[in-house]
């Protein structure tokens, strides 16, 4: 604080590495982070009540005089409504709260006459224009001088705001109304909260991260307890505590039930989709969720609070600080750490709830790490990367507002405090608001009778405060017994007792499930995994991550079985990747109007017909199966018989799908990825593995298409109904495709000329095979059951033939002599051949005007010179690709 006053004042924040103040507009923009800065001496205001908590009353008195004398709130600057509310308005109100307390005590602040409250009211009025929306949700930013819609405001065009941004106003705005007797502030904050509550997803009772302030539509539909939502839940519970309004508690309990049902996966807290709450939205957690154990303590739900806090502490012990984000297997996702105080906050509340000295040791670790790794000559610097210990020239105001406040309170005895902290509630910025506000200037109706609430049969929702039966179970070892299984959760090593392996050497039971026997479609196997503390987490790219947590296992032996299963699965996956890799395959659309010119890169299968040994491939019309996932008996076998079946990826093993369609009479199968937008252009191709059992009974070919390539076939079906494809090891030239069928003379003559050209090319470059025999580029292909692994990239090759008359029957057309070549991972620089919409337009026009298949061909084709020129371009392109491959 002294460094900030000496080196930075009156700037908003201290830059501790360069020992100067951060003034907005004078330093390079940091984007949204800078919206907290308003040229109003942010850190000084944010720190006011911290000085009183730390018994620095003289410094507090001087700081208040500085604020009154120097701070200007009428700046032409655009600031965040959310940050200005919690930091500046909250700081002024917190300073006012402790100022009147000190004045009543009769020693300090005798001159004080509510100046901070007057400034808070002025600021409140400057924030009100942001609420000028039909929904009542505020704009995310406001100009302190010109408001929102004013021509000089430079804001007011935004359409979205985060849930926390709109839902973290009620404490400060209601306190301002209660302090001043001006009800408008509390009314606006309540209206915003009411709107968010009405827009919650009714079936899951969850809210999204981002909402449209005009329509109320959810923009980001993922839901968690971290960034973007966190303090919305916090303020519902604390609004009940401060204001005594039962509706806030009812809303909080409804949300909390949904959080514990869907988001809480002890010790993890994972984001889910609000419409599909059983589906995880991401596989990493952000550090802001560290506040949640503290909120659970206030709620009285102590066990999950201890579990999550302990998990976070293990991450801190590994990295010295909590990374801004980390994965479910505790790897660093975002390496920054801006000295956030949320974990210290939860540590303080857990110590208050349990009295367990363990949490004093946790606090000691936090202080030692701050001094050892973050302390610099002019203050404390944020960590740019927790892995390297590098610093960032940044010390946010919340560091002084919250971190030292919670750490001091953690260690303070009652005699160290000059006032009773239990008479106050903390805002999300740790500012102090007196509880007596609940009975002061009540101008708002307490009960919201217009909204229905979910009836919850849960004894954990007792309204007593605190719920002593849950907080204090009369067991001094209670918290330790909950923490113990999590001691090594980050390092994935469990306390060692008698192992199952040692038992099995005697007459003990064998492991309940081996990795080689595991079937994702087997409910019994999934139940065994659950018993062993192993969970399946679907990843965004379509893969599945296995995560084991010993605390979730039914017993210590089950936890050890789970650890062994995980090790076996890793070894099995590694072994599968070392097996011989198969090159990519091709799906070629041969029916009208494509005639073999559209070639889709496909992933191979480790079972079924080996297309490399069946040069002719498998050709047939495609048909969509029912059920589309192919995981049970096919209900439309008459539509699938003697056809190539289309099915969706997911819900069972690839081999199971193959057996089901083979039983229905299909001659081949194409599995289409269910991950929307996936493409071989951007995703690594992979081969479909078997189910760990003998797959010799599968005799039909199976290929895999990513979502983008699969949609090409599905779109073709919608437009042309009958779509015929060729499954092969590589794309075939169209003379081969239409072998034995009527071929126009000009094509035959052209093919002879092409063969002569091929001979010349062969003479000039004898080490190259001709185009028909040229091998497709091979690529690395990962092999895991149902899921892709890292491998090479490939691209769909689509090149509709502008030469072929669109009205020609498939039986009367032969296509140019060339192979489509799929570049592999070792030829990333190879040019890609792609179709353009313009290639199809002449064909469609001819289809409308020419319906007779026996027209005079010579009058309907381009001059031979033009045809040869086009073919020469194709040959040159393939030559270049072959050279790149070599």
């Amino acid at each position: 604080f002294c460094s900030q006053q000496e080196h930075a004042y009156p700037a908003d924040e201290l830059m501790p590495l360069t020992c100067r103040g951060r003034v907005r507009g004078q330093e390079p923009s940091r984007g949204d982070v800078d919206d907290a800065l308003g040229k109003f001496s942010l850190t000084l205001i944010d720190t006011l009540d911290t000085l009183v908590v730390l018994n620095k009353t003289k410094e507090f008195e001087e700081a208040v005089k500085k604020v009154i004398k120097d701070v200007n709130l009428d700046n032409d600057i655009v600031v965040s409504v959310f940050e200005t509310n919690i930091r500046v308005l909250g700081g002024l109100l917190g300073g006012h709260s402790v100022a009147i307390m000190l004045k009543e005590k009769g020693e300090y602040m005798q001159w004080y006459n509510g100046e901070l409250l007057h400034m808070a009211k002025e600021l409140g009025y400057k924030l009100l224009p942001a609420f000028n929306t039909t929904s009542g949700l505020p704009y995310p930013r406001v100009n302190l001088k010109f408001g929102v819609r004013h021509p000089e405001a430079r804001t007011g065009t935004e359409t979205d705001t985060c849930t926390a941004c709109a839902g973290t106003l009620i404490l400060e705005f209601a306190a301002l109304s209660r302090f001043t007797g001006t009800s408008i502030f509390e009314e606006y904050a309540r209206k915003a909260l009411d709107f968010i509550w009405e827009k919650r997803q009714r079936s899951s009772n969850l809210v999204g991260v981002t909402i449209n302030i005009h329509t109320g539509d959810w923009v980001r539909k993922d839901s968690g307890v971290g960034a973007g939502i966190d303090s919305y839940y916090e303020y519902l519970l604390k609004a009940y505590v401060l204001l005594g309004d039962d509706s806030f508690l009812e809303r909080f309990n409804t949300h909390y039930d949904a959080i514990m049902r869907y988001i809480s996966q002890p010790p993890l807290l994972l984001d889910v989709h609000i419409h599909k709450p059983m589906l995880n939205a991401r596989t990493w957690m952000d550090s802001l969720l560290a506040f949640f154990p503290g909120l659970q303590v206030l709620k009285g739900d102590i066990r999950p609070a201890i579990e999550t806090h302990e998990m976070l502490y293990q991450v801190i012990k590994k990295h010295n600080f909590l990374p801004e984000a980390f994965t479910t297997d505790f790897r660093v996702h975002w390496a920054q750490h801006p000295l956030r105080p949320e974990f210290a906050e939860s540590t303080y509340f857990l110590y208050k709830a349990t009295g367990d000295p363990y949490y004093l040791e946790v606090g000691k670790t936090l202080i030692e790490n701050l001094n050892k790794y973050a302390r610099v000559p002019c203050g404390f610097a944020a960590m740019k990367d927790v892995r390297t210990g590098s610093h960032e020239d940044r010390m946010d105001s919340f560091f002084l507002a919250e971190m030292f406040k919670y750490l001091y309170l953690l260690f303070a005895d009652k005699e160290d405090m000059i006032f009773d902290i239990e008479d106050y509630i903390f805002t999300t910025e740790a500012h102090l608001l007196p509880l007596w506000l609940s009975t002061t200037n009540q101008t708002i109706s307490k009960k919201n009778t217009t909204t229905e609430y979910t009836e919850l049969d849960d004894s954990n929702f007792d309204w007593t405060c605190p719920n002593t039966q849950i907080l204090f179970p009369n067991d001094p070892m209670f918290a330790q017994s909950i923490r113990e299984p999590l001691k090594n959760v980050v390092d994935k090593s469990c306390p060692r007792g008698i192992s199952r392996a040692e038992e099995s050497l005697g007459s003990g039971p064998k492991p309940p499930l081996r990795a080689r026997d595991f079937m994702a479609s087997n409910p019994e196997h999934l139940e065994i995994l659950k018993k062993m503390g192993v969970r399946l987490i679907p990843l965004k790219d379509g893969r599945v991550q296995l995560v084991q947590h010993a605390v979730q296992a039914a017993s210590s032996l089950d936890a050890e079985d789970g650890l062994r299963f995980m090790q076996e699965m890793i070894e099995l996956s590694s072994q599968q990747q070392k097996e011989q890799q198969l090159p990519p395959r091709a799906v070629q659309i041969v029916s009208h109007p494509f005639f073999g010119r559209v070639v889709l890169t496909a992933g191979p299968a480790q079972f079924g017909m080996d297309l490399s040994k069946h040069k002719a491939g498998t050709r047939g019309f495609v048909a969509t199966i029912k059920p589309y996932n192919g995981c049970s008996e096919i209900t439309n076998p008459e539509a699938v018989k003697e056809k190539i079946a289309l099915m969706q990826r997911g819900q069972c093993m690839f081999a199971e799908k193959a057996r089901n369609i083979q039983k229905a009479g299909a001659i081949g199968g194409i599995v289409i990825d269910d991950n929307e937008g996936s493409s071989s252009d951007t995703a690594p191709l992979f081969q479909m593995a078997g189910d760990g059992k003998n797959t010799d009974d599968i005799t039909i070919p199976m290929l895999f298409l990513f979502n983008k390539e699969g949609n090409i076939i599905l779109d073709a079906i919608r437009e042309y109904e009958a779509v015929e494809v060729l499954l092969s090891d590589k794309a075939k030239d169209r003379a081969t495709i239409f072998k034995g069928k009527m071929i126009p003379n000009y094509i035959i003559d052209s093919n002879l000329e092409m063969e002569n050209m091929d001979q010349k090319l062969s003479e000039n470059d004898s080490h190259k095979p001709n185009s028909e025999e040229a091998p497709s580029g091979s690529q690395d292909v990962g092999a895991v059951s149902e899921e892709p692994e890292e491998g090479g990239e490939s691209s769909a090759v689509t090149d509709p033939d502008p030469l072929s008359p669109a009205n020609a029957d498939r039986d009367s057309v032969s296509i140019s002599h060339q192979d489509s070549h799929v570049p592999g991972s070792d030829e990333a620089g190879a040019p890609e051949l792609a179709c353009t919409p313009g290639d199809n337009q002449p064909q469609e026009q001819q289809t409308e005007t020419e319906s007779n298949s026996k027209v005079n061909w010579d009058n309907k084709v381009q001059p031979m010179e033009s045809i040869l020129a086009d073919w020469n371009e194709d040959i040159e392109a393939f030559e270049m690709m072959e050279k790149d491959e070599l």
Side-chain angles (χ1 to χ4, degrees), residues 427-454:
T427 69
T428 193
E429 191 77 2
H431 293 306
L432 302 175
L433 298 177
L435 293 176
W436 52 258
L437 288 175
S438 61
T439 58
T440 303
N441 292 325
Q442 297 184 32
T443 59
I444 308 294
S445 174
K446 275 191 177 184
K447 186 69 176 177
N448 182 351
T449 58
T450 63
T451 307
E452 295 182 0
Y453 295 89
T454 305

Side-chain angles (χ1 to χ4, degrees), residues 55 100 250-251 315 356 572 587 611 619 654 719 803:
N55 202 7
I100 59 178
E250 291 170 327
R251 295 180 191 183
V315 175
D356 191 335
L572 181 62
V587 175
L611 291 171
R619 178 171 173 170
F654 288 120
E719 187 165 356
L803 308 180

Side-chain angles (χ1 to χ4, degrees), residues 355-422:
D356 191 335
Y358 175 82
Y359 295 108
L360 297 179
E361 292 298 322
V362 174
K364 180 182 177 184
T365 299
L366 297 182
I367 293 173
E368 289 176 345
N369 287 348
L370 283 172
N371 279 324
K372 186 174 182 180
Y373 301 108
R375 191 163 196 153
V376 294
C378 288
F380 290 82
M383 307 304 296
K384 189 174 184 179
D385 192 319
V386 298
R387 297 164 297 191
T388 63
S390 58
H391 288 124
E392 188 176 353
D393 200 3
R394 170 183 180 183
M395 190 179 84
D396 291 83
S397 68
F398 55 68
F399 180 64
L400 295 181
E402 300 184 68
M403 180 69 82
F404 291 123
K405 186 179 292 175
Y406 285 125
L407 289 176
Y408 183 85
L409 289 171
L410 174 63
F411 292 99
D413 294 324
K414 194 168 185 179
E415 54 270 22
D416 296 323
M417 302 291 297
I418 61 174
F419 65 99
D420 189 353
I421 198 70
E422 301 298 334

Side-chain angles (χ1 to χ4, degrees), residues 4 50 153 265 270 317 346 402 421 472 514 529 533 551 554 579 601 617 667 698 796 800 826:
Q4 199 278 336
T50 300
Q265 302 169 34
L270 292 177
K317 287 204 292 187
S346 289
E402 300 184 68
I421 198 70
F472 312 108
R514 307 302 296 265
L529 288 190
V551 67
E579 294 177 356
T601 303
I667 60 173
I698 302 174
D826 55 356

Side-chain angles (χ1 to χ4, degrees), residues 453-508:
Y453 295 89
T454 305
E455 291 294 330
L456 302 171
D457 181 17
D458 192 329
S459 60
N460 198 29
F461 294 149
D462 291 344
W463 289 10
T464 56
C465 182
N467 189 338
T468 53
Q469 182 179 359
I470 294 176
L471 284 175
F472 312 108
N474 299 318
D475 181 2
M477 300 296 291
F478 176 65
Q480 182 179 343
S481 66
I482 298 174
R483 288 193 305 266
E484 196 61 35
L486 298 165
K487 284 293 185 184
N488 302 296
V489 65
V490 173
D491 295 327
K492 293 191 170 158
S493 59
C494 304
R496 178 173 172 79
I498 300 176
S499 70
R500 182 86 74 174
E502 291 166 348
E503 284 187 355
S504 64
L505 294 176
S507 57

Side-chain angles (χ1 to χ4, degrees), residues 519-781:
M519 291 280 290
S521 58
N522 189 326
E524 294 182 5
H525 288 185
L526 297 178
E527 191 62 33
I528 293 173
L529 288 190
K530 183 177 180 182
K531 186 178 180 183
M532 295 190 299
V534 178
R535 293 183 51 253
L536 274 72
I537 302 177
L539 302 181
K540 196 170 184 180
D541 61 5
R543 293 180 296 158
V544 168
Q545 181 180 12
L546 290 172
V547 179
Q548 195 232 2
H549 298 297
V551 67
Q552 297 181 9
S555 68
S556 59
L557 289 180
D558 289 313
E560 191 168 349
D561 286 336
L563 184 62
R564 181 180 298 104
F565 176 84
M566 294 292 291
Q567 292 170 341
E568 289 182 357
M569 186 61 74
I570 292 172
E571 293 171 2
L572 181 62
S573 178
S574 177
Q575 180 181 351
Q576 287 178 336
Q577 293 178 42
K578 292 177 183 177
E579 294 177 356
Q580 182 180 2
Q581 303 300 314
L582 300 176
R585 306 303 189 201
V587 175
Q588 199 164 1
I589 308 180
V590 298
S591 56
H592 167 82
F594 306 99
F595 304 119
R597 292 286 291 197
V598 174
V599 182
L600 306 174
T601 303
Q606 292 180 346
F607 52 85
M609 179 190 293
D610 185 354
L611 291 171
S612 65
K613 298 178 181 178
H614 294 76
K615 294 298 182 181
T618 297
R619 178 171 173 170
F621 287 90
V622 295
T624 303
I625 63 171
K626 296 179 182 180
Y628 191 30
N629 59 31
C631 293
S632 57
E633 185 176 350
I634 307 304
T635 58
N636 61 335
E638 67 289 342
V640 177
K641 189 174 182 180
E642 298 301 322
K643 293 183 180 178
I644 295 174
L646 295 178
M647 69 212 78
Q648 188 178 47
R649 175 187 185 182
Q651 301 185 30
C652 64
M653 307 294 282
F654 288 120
E656 185 177 346
K657 298 175 189 287
R659 290 189 178 97
N660 288 332
I661 63 171
Q662 180 174 283
K663 183 178 178 181
I667 60 173
I670 298 175
V671 179
I672 298 176
D673 192 11
D674 60 346
N675 188 20
E676 189 69 30
S678 65
S679 168
S680 62
D681 293 334
T682 55
L685 204 63
F686 70 105
Q687 56 187 353
M688 297 184 288
D691 54 7
K693 300 179 180 179
N694 192 320
T695 55
D696 291 344
D697 57 316
I698 302 174
T699 59
I700 61 174
M702 293 288 291
L703 295 181
F704 176 89
L705 290 178
F706 281 108
N707 187 266
K708 179 181 175 182
E709 287 77 20
N711 280 335
I712 292 175
I713 295 181
L714 297 176
D715 290 342
I717 293 175
R718 283 189 283 269
E719 187 165 356
Y720 303 107
E721 294 185 1
V723 175
E724 189 178 17
V725 301
L726 173 66
L727 312 183
S728 58
D729 63 330
K730 61 181 180 179
K732 306 300 181 186
D733 68 274
R734 288 166 296 172
T736 302
I737 292 174
F738 295 102
K739 187 176 182 180
K741 300 181 184 278
M742 189 177 75
I743 303 175
N745 290 332
Y746 89 96
I747 293 277
I748 297 175
D749 295 337
S750 300
N751 281 340
L752 291 175
E753 294 184 35
M754 289 296 295
E755 290 176 10
N756 294 331
M757 293 171 67
D758 284 345
Q759 288 180 353
K760 293 179 181 178
L761 289 171
S762 178
E763 292 172 1
N764 293 333
D765 197 355
S766 58
H767 68 280
K768 292 182 183 178
N770 64 41
S771 61
E772 185 173 354
E773 297 174 351
S776 292
S778 63
Q779 69 183 86
D780 294 335
V781 185

Side-chain angles (χ1 to χ4, degrees), residues 309 342-352 359-360 362-363 366 410:
H309 179 275
E342 284 76 16
F343 181 77
E345 174 186 357
S346 289
T347 303
Y348 164 66
F349 280 113
L350 275 168
Y351 179 65
K352 293 285 288 184
Y359 295 108
L360 297 179
V362 174
L366 297 182
L410 174 63

